[in-house]
Amino acid sequence: MSFERSPTAENHRIPLNDGNNIPLMGLGTFSMPKITPKNACYNAVKIAIDVGYRHFDGAWVYGNEDEVGRAFQEKIADGTVSRDDIYYCGKLWNTYHPPEMVRPTLEKSLKLMKFDYIDLYIIELPMAFKPGDVIYPKDENGKFVYHLTDLCATWEALEACKDAGLVKSIGVSNFNRRQLEQILNKPGLKYKPAVNQIECHPYFTQIKLKEFCDLHGIVIVGYSPLGTCRDSTWVNVKIPSLLDDPIINTMAAKYKKTSAQVALRYQIQRNIVVIPKSFNPGRIKENFEIFDFCLTDEEMKRIYALNKNERYVELLMWRDHPEYPFDDEY
Ligand code: NAP
């Protein structure tokens, strides 16, 4: 294990390259708005805070930041947590990449949260869309309307938000090596990305991109750590369900744990932050109970060997975007 101290339920923060730190375990909050009952996210965040979660992964585009914010405000007001205990990651959506739109967009999230800063703000995807409030802009033929922005200029606008105290740490998401290098090699770079949030789990271990990020002190936040849901409208369901994997299930039985807990434990032992989403009280609790067992080196190796190098979240509908990130080797 690469921790100086083993992470515990109470303290599982790891350092970032800007002097801040991030809890290894967080709650994902994305759920398809059309099929998610109102207040499901609000209730989940409140339950999670009671269970012990302090890190929450959200985005303006998820359409439920108001619910996340309301849950935070109530748990702060009732004295369960203070603002400083909470770690919130928000995301800059594709239609707000032009530098002059970055700060006002972050401020929209701050207003929904009723916070004067958030802990982490990341560029959600390297692919810019036509700027404006239409989330998925399309032309009269139903084709997505893209936009060309300079990722480095967007990054400079994030740096300015950090300097203004609106966000503690800044990072990126779904960036491949080339796109990370573009930022890292930018003349006059003020802050390196603190994190790269990418799909990562035992079937998609991201070994090369992890090596590259380690070299530059960039922490990986692994999304879809349980292999996401099985919604074929946006998930590649040709890949078998991660949680049904026989090897992971054998290990789970050994430790009297579930396959989900083993999949999450594997990631935190690699120093990868996990943000499993659940709005179910039992599973929210289950996913947090990963600090009382440890996989052996041999078991870690067996899980590494499950890598299929395939993504559940392919975003194929944007494959013709010039910055589509997933065609590069890594
Ligand atoms: P995930 O966390 O791997 O899986 C979520 C699915 O697993 C849900 O259907 C959930 O259902 C179920 N689940 C949760 N705990 C379980 C357990 N213990 N046993 C069995 N099933 C369980 O997938 P994800 O939502 O795709 O990823 C997590 C978070 O990452 C998102 O919520 C979002 O915050 C972030 N994300 C970011 C990006 C990006 O582009 N940056 C992309 C995707 C996701 P229930 O709710 O019913 O429990």
Side-chain angles (χ1 to χ4, degrees):
M1 299 238 315
S2 48
F3 300 106
E4 284 170 27
R5 245 167 0 96
S6 288
T8 62
E10 293 73 30
N11 184 8
H12 46 268
R13 287 179 174 249
I14 57 167
L16 296 173
N17 61 23
D18 61 2
N20 296 318
N21 51 48
I22 183 169
L24 273 168
M25 164 56 93
L27 184 80
T29 62
F30 173 71
S31 187
M32 291 288 263
K34 276 189 199 139
I35 55 164
T36 307
K38 203 165 166 30
N39 287 327
C41 178
Y42 159 77
N43 287 320
V45 171
K46 286 213 316 181
I47 290 165
I49 291 175
D50 287 338
V51 164
Y53 288 75
R54 294 295 177 262
H55 172 182
F56 297 85
D57 182 78
W60 176 84
V61 79
Y62 297 172
N64 56 12
E65 265 189 336
D66 57 328
E67 295 193 21
V68 177
R70 196 150 43 86
F72 287 165
Q73 291 308 324
E74 284 184 25
K75 295 312 269 179
I76 292 170
D78 77 8
T80 312
V81 284
S82 68
R83 166 65 189 95
D84 288 350
D85 295 327
I86 299 279
Y87 191 95
Y88 181 70
C89 170
K91 304 189 187 88
L92 179 78
W93 179 242
N94 306 4
T95 57
Y96 302 110
H97 279 208
E100 67 281 6
M101 295 179 93
V102 172
R103 180 170 175 157
T105 306
L106 167 58
E107 284 171 338
K108 275 201 284 192
S109 289
L110 289 173
K111 202 168 164 200
L112 287 169
M113 298 277 127
K114 298 196 176 65
F115 280 169
D116 44 21
Y117 71 90
I118 56 173
D119 302 276
L120 177 62
Y121 199 53
I122 62 183
I123 302 176
E124 189 156 351
L125 286 152
M127 300 175 283
F129 292 176
K130 180 186 165 195
D133 291 330
V134 178
I135 297 177
Y136 302 110
K138 288 189 177 170
D139 66 14
E140 56 284 1
N141 301 315
K143 272 196 72 157
F144 288 105
V145 187
Y146 302 138
H147 187 71
L148 284 187
T149 38
D150 174 4
L151 284 175
C152 289
T154 308
W155 184 253
E156 284 170 5
L158 259 79
E159 290 182 325
C161 291
K162 179 170 157 74
D163 283 339
L166 302 179
V167 57
K168 299 254 187 218
S169 299
I170 51 177
V172 296
S173 177
N174 295 301
F175 273 42
N176 61 29
R177 178 187 170 141
R178 179 183 55 78
Q179 290 156 342
L180 284 171
E181 278 176 336
Q182 215 178 311
I183 306 279
L184 292 168
N185 297 334
K186 186 186 88 64
L189 180 73
K190 199 159 183 192
Y191 306 113
K192 283 187 194 184
V195 309
N196 188 16
Q197 185 179 123
I198 51 178
E199 178 175 342
C200 192
H201 45 73
Y203 283 175
F204 194 57
T205 50
Q206 296 268 23
I207 292 193
K208 284 190 179 173
L209 195 51
K210 165 100 168 57
E211 256 173 38
F212 178 81
C213 286
D214 283 350
L215 199 66
H216 294 278
I218 300 169
V219 165
I220 289 192
V221 177
Y223 72 67
S224 306
L226 305 175
T228 197
C229 58
R230 305 289 292 170
D231 178 344
S232 59
T233 61
W234 63 280
V235 174
N236 174 8
V237 290
K238 282 183 263 146
I239 308 176
S241 158
L242 174 67
L243 299 185
D244 291 338
D245 185 88
I247 291 178
I248 295 180
N249 275 281
T250 306
M251 286 179 207
K254 170 182 159 189
Y255 290 106
K256 298 196 169 42
K257 289 284 175 184
T258 63
S259 54
Q261 289 167 326
V262 170
L264 297 172
R265 179 74 205 184
Y266 160 76
Q267 292 289 58
I268 68 163
Q269 282 188 217
R270 306 172 64 199
N271 240 9
I272 289 184
V273 175
V274 284
I275 46 170
K277 174 264 169 183
S278 182
F279 288 175
N280 170 285
R283 291 190 285 275
I284 291 172
K285 186 165 180 293
E286 173 187 325
N287 295 341
F288 196 73
E289 292 172 347
I290 57 168
F291 299 104
D292 56 354
F293 75 113
C294 188
L295 299 166
T296 64
D297 289 348
E298 193 49 43
E299 287 163 343
M300 289 294 286
K301 277 193 205 137
R302 289 190 72 199
I303 302 182
Y304 271 112
L306 299 176
N307 185 27
K308 296 178 188 292
N309 240 356
E310 281 183 300
R311 299 168 190 276
Y312 285 110
V313 184
E314 299 173 301
L315 306 179
L316 291 177
M317 62 288 194
W318 301 324
R319 194 166 196 163
D320 57 343
H321 193 293
E323 288 290 352
Y324 179 78
F326 302 153
D327 282 337
D328 289 22
E329 190 199 351
Y330 68 104

